[in-house]
Amino acid sequence: ARNVAENLARLGLQVDLCGCVGRDIAAQTILAPLQALGVNTHSCLVSETGATGRYTAVLDAAGQLVMGMADTHITEALTPHVLAPVVHAQTSALWMADMNLPTSSIAWLGQEAFKRKITFVLVAVSEPKMNRLPNDLQGIDTLMLNRGELAALGFTESEIGAAYTQLHATGLRR
């Protein structure tokens, strides 16, 4: 979500980022450059007990992921109850979330997007997190995933049509 926020801001778009960070140097390392680009980070919660999430990727010479390590436990704090005041204050036409959020939050955001007629893009972040995909995808406009994440849903790349048909039947648009 941070990377998407940065890239959208670099394209000149107005971006509001909601997330959860710790009270540590990593939080400032993440937030300060975003703020310098004009990203509104006022909706980022600061945890007194958790460390800012981290992701480390090891890539091979061709740029392919060999190994990834993530510590995103702090994101579990972003429950529907915590997100509600932020979401209800939003006037954005598009929301983007990644699947580091708890399942209940992803489902709730989809429901809110549907009710408010907001385009909602959901980014799959890893194969293990695919189990957070709600059963009801109504309200989720677009699901972005890679081959591995598609496989975690039980489909091969050659079965992408069948995957789309199944996901579309549960409410997903794209």
Side-chain angles (χ1 to χ4, degrees):
R2 192 223 71 83
N3 292 346
V4 172
E6 177 180 336
N7 285 306
L8 291 174
R10 288 183 183 279
L11 290 170
L13 299 173
Q14 178 185 343
V15 180
D16 296 320
L17 179 67
C18 175
C20 190
V21 296
R23 191 168 297 284
D24 51 28
I25 193 70
Q28 289 309 309
T29 302
I30 290 169
L31 296 179
L34 290 175
Q35 293 162 345
L37 288 170
V39 174
N40 179 352
T41 61
H42 296 309
S43 295
C44 288
L45 307 171
V46 179
S47 170
E48 298 297 330
T49 58
T52 300
R54 292 169 170 79
Y55 175 74
T56 303
V58 178
L59 307 177
D60 64 17
Q64 297 299 311
L65 180 67
V66 174
M67 180 176 60
M69 298 169 285
D71 176 5
T72 58
H73 292 88
I74 197 167
T75 308
E76 297 298 321
L78 295 173
T79 63
H81 176 75
V82 170
L83 291 172
V86 174
V87 166
H88 291 132
Q90 283 293 319
T91 58
S92 303
L94 182 136
W95 293 345
M96 190 284 304
D98 69 39
M99 290 177 57
N100 283 312
L101 289 172
T103 305
S104 61
S105 297
I106 296 168
W108 181 80
L109 286 168
Q111 293 165 1
E112 287 295 308
F114 181 76
K115 284 193 289 190
R116 297 173 67 176
K117 296 181 177 29
I118 293 172
T119 300
F120 180 37
V121 177
L122 184 61
V123 180
V125 294
S126 69
E127 295 165 31
K129 299 275 174 100
M130 291 306 294
N131 66 359
R132 294 180 178 216
L133 189 66
N135 293 326
D136 180 3
L137 301 180
Q138 188 173 21
I140 300 174
D141 182 76
T142 304
L143 174 63
M144 297 174 55
L145 44 78
N146 64 25
R147 288 181 190 105
E149 293 152 354
L150 180 67
L153 293 176
F155 296 97
T156 64
E157 189 174 355
S158 65
E159 297 171 315
I160 194 153
Y164 173 75
T165 299
Q166 181 178 325
L167 293 169
H168 185 70
T170 63
L172 183 69
R173 291 190 56 212
R174 289 176 254 241

